[in-house]
Amino acid sequence: MKEKQFDLIVIRSGSGGLGIALGMLEFGAKVLLVDRSAEKIGGECLHTGCIPSKSFLYAANKVHDTMEARNFGMQVKGRVDLEKVMEYVKQRQEIIEHHENVDELQKKGLHVLLGNAKFTASKTIRVNGEEYHAKNLVIATGSAPRKIPVKGLQFVNCYTNENIFEISLLPENFLFLGAGPVSLELGQAFSRLGCKVTIVDRGERILKKEDPVISYALQQKLERENINFMLKAEIAEILSSSEAILNTAEAQIKIPVDAVFMGLGRELNFADLDPEAAGITMEEGKIKLNRKLQTSNKNVFVSGDAAGNMKFSHAAEMHNMLLLNNFLSPLKKKLDFSHFSWVTFTDPEIATFGWTEQQLEAKNTKYERLENDFSESDRAVTANFQDGRIIFVSGKEEIQLLFSKNPGRQYNGPWRGRNFPGTGFGKFRRNSPKGNYKKNLSLSHGGKYAQDITSQQDPQRY
């Protein structure tokens, strides 16, 4: 019986599961990691999310840069070889898979069990007919892409992030449903690889979680790349292997379509896990949690997408740091997203962190909105990026950065949006020396620029 008793059992091995399992292992805990199969080790991030998508975007952007070289007299001929693109994606996955597999995890000291986990009691799960027990358990079952029924969908290839990286032929007319980050990132990538891309959304604008000014600026940029947007519209029917009907605010229209991508958000599903058997309370399909990521069962916790809040791999890392602290320290911490950041990996990238205007209003906090573009930035002019924009929300004593887009590409690294928030997690004090960085803004100047514009402008007060 002792061999089936653990300090911690972690269910699934994605960003949430691997992080907490390896973290507790480092502190000497006996940890059991359970996932459905060896092929699932690494979770969505490795197989159908972060790694393949960013590799795919990299390849598409390289193609785009090559085409842009024609502006300098280069002659570019030929078509993209999708097989080579996907070969590159697979190679990147294999590099990371080298240390995210059953053998490597077992060498580190993790107990790895393959099979479907199901709760049978408050501290017990059953896998392959055997029961395993632990002092604490972490649910890290992730999320899945939301799908909708569409009449006639059988006529075309339909993709989500779960199968898009198995694609073998570039569609001529690619329809993307939803105007969120995934559709925009992949839509731009497929457009740059040669597809005619249409993005359809029922909303009035793209990226509804971002500031409207930023959303509109990105839409304009994507439209200049010949991406077609149909907003306040939805798909009605696919008529054949080459045509679909959209319902718009004005009328029904026909558009050419030979493939569909569904980027309609994420869903949680705990049915196979039977959480109620462990005394875990559910609310509207989600697990009820406190701010310590603890369920109604005090010994069961949640990490990653399964927590139902911020569905990002770095949110899972944030969850795991909190859980590690609370498992090991008497000084317990609570989840706080006040300075959480995220990036939409379009070109241009969109970086967001700090409190939004809506959050400040909900807190009855007085603030100022500060906004500037890079139209007069020398750095932006030289790098051919003058339509970047930066927006701050300023409280009485500090400035919260909402969005940043660097004016060029010649910085400390190519990952512009991810580096900018690192200047201070969104907080900038006003009491630094004054100076004019407006004309030559660079990555290291981001925080200083935030301070400067508070004294250079007469912002509108809210």
Side-chain angles (χ1 to χ4, degrees):
M1 184 66 182
K2 186 177 179 180
E3 68 274 9
K4 295 182 180 179
Q5 185 72 42
F6 296 86
D7 297 311
L8 179 69
I9 292 176
V10 180
I11 302 171
R12 303 284 176 86
S13 63
S15 298
L18 273 182
I20 190 61
L22 292 172
M24 287 297 289
L25 180 69
E26 287 291 317
F27 284 96
K30 183 182 179 182
V31 181
L32 174 65
L33 180 66
V34 182
D35 211 330
R36 293 156 291 179
S37 66
E39 292 73 27
K40 297 291 186 181
I41 298 294
E44 181 176 84
C45 186
L46 173 59
H47 299 291
T48 61
C50 320
I51 304 307
S53 68
K54 301 310 173 284
S55 303
F56 189 78
L57 298 185
Y58 174 83
N61 291 340
K62 284 297 184 184
V63 171
H64 177 73
D65 290 343
T66 301
M67 300 302 288
E68 290 284 286
R70 292 180 298 183
N71 296 329
F72 304 101
M74 295 288 291
Q75 294 185 8
V76 181
K77 298 179 180 180
R79 292 176 58 85
V80 170
D81 186 336
L82 183 61
E83 183 177 346
K84 290 188 178 298
V85 172
M86 302 316 295
E87 180 181 328
Y88 174 81
V89 172
K90 183 62 177 175
Q91 288 173 347
R92 301 306 100 182
Q93 289 176 292
E94 288 174 349
I95 291 172
I96 296 170
E97 202 168 19
H98 180 71
H99 60 264
E100 290 188 8
N101 62 72
V102 174
D103 290 341
E104 289 299 314
L105 294 175
Q106 288 178 333
K107 287 179 184 178
K108 293 177 185 290
L110 272 181
H111 297 262
V112 180
L113 181 62
L114 302 177
N116 290 312
K118 191 182 187 72
F119 280 104
T120 58
S122 62
K123 299 182 183 181
T124 305
I125 61 169
R126 180 182 291 123
V127 183
N128 302 329
E130 300 286 337
E131 290 195 336
Y132 300 84
H133 318 274
K135 177 181 177 181
N136 292 306
L137 299 94
V138 173
I139 298 170
T141 48
S143 63
R146 175 174 169 261
K147 303 173 186 177
I148 60 171
V150 176
K151 185 178 181 180
L153 190 60
Q154 71 274 12
F155 293 128
V156 298
N157 290 323
C158 181
Y159 299 97
T160 67
N161 73 288
E162 291 185 332
N163 63 349
I164 189 64
F165 303 110
E166 300 169 7
I167 193 169
S168 59
L169 182 67
L170 283 174
E172 182 178 354
N173 297 287
F174 208 163
L175 176 64
F176 283 73
L177 303 182
V182 176
S183 284
L184 295 181
E185 291 172 2
L186 291 178
Q188 184 180 40
F190 275 99
S191 175
R192 289 180 166 188
L193 292 176
C195 302
K196 296 176 183 176
V197 170
T198 298
I199 297 177
V200 175
D201 194 278
R202 294 193 298 179
E204 295 184 351
R205 63 185 181 92
I206 67 174
L207 292 180
K208 62 182 180 181
K209 291 185 179 180
E210 306 293 353
D211 189 279
V213 172
I214 300 306
S215 297
Y216 183 62
L218 178 62
Q219 182 179 336
Q220 287 182 307
K221 171 66 164 57
L222 297 179
E223 287 174 338
R224 289 198 294 273
E225 292 192 22
N226 298 315
I227 294 176
N228 181 37
F229 287 91
M230 300 292 295
L231 302 178
K232 293 191 289 186
E234 59 185 352
I235 189 166
E237 181 181 356
I238 297 175
L239 298 175
S240 66
S241 60
S242 61
E243 193 174 45
I245 296 178
L246 299 181
N247 289 330
T248 71
E250 293 78 25
Q252 282 194 336
I253 61 171
K254 292 182 179 181
I255 63 168
V257 170
D258 50 23
V260 172
F261 180 89
M262 293 191 182
L264 300 168
R266 311 289 298 178
E267 293 182 331
L268 306 178
N269 187 349
F270 303 101
D272 294 341
L273 198 59
D274 196 10
E276 289 86 351
I280 298 171
T281 301
M282 305 292 295
E283 288 185 343
E284 298 179 352
K286 294 183 179 181
I287 295 175
K288 184 179 180 181
L289 299 174
N290 61 22
R291 288 182 59 195
K292 298 176 185 177
L293 296 172
Q294 187 177 40
T295 71
S296 55
N297 177 340
K298 67 179 183 178
N299 299 106
V300 179
F301 301 80
V302 182
S303 180
D305 282 11
N309 41 57
M310 295 290 190
K311 296 182 178 67
F312 298 93
S313 58
H314 59 291
E317 180 182 359
M318 185 179 184
H319 294 166
N320 290 336
M321 294 302 293
L322 181 145
L323 290 175
L324 280 170
N325 176 86
N326 291 352
F327 285 152
L328 301 169
S329 170
L331 302 177
K332 307 304 181 185
K333 293 185 178 181
K334 295 181 179 180
L335 195 62
D336 182 7
F337 285 115
S338 296
H339 302 138
F340 189 75
S341 63
W342 67 82
V343 176
T344 298
F345 295 95
T346 49
D347 179 14
E349 293 178 350
I350 295 178
T352 301
F353 70 102
W355 293 311
T356 66
E357 292 182 72
Q358 292 79 8
Q359 289 172 319
L360 290 173
E361 288 170 355
K363 296 174 180 288
N364 294 318
T365 301
K366 293 183 179 180
Y367 66 91
E368 302 167 353
R369 179 186 173 94
L370 311 173
E371 183 177 334
N372 211 334
D373 59 38
F374 298 140
S375 60
E376 297 181 10
S377 165
D378 293 351
R379 188 68 188 86
V381 171
T382 59
N384 192 28
F385 190 83
Q386 294 167 266
D387 44 8
R389 186 168 293 274
I390 197 164
I391 295 173
F392 298 88
V393 172
S394 171
K396 185 176 182 180
E397 296 180 351
E398 61 187 28
I399 296 173
Q400 302 293 340
L401 178 62
L402 289 186
F403 167 83
S404 69
K405 172 63 183 79
N406 294 342
R409 302 185 179 192
Q410 313 301 319
Y411 292 115
N412 296 343
W415 307 293
R416 306 179 293 278
R418 276 140 291 175
N419 287 332
F420 199 104
T423 54
F425 293 98
K427 288 191 175 183
F428 301 92
R429 302 294 178 185
R430 291 191 184 203
N431 56 359
S432 68
K434 294 181 180 180
N436 184 7
Y437 298 91
K438 180 180 178 182
K439 295 288 286 182
N440 192 24
L441 183 66
S442 71
L443 183 64
S444 61
H445 293 145
K448 296 176 182 178
Y449 177 67
Q451 296 155 352
D452 295 341
I453 61 175
T454 63
S455 59
Q456 294 173 3
Q457 297 190 21
D458 180 21
Q460 182 179 359
R461 298 180 182 274
Y462 289 78

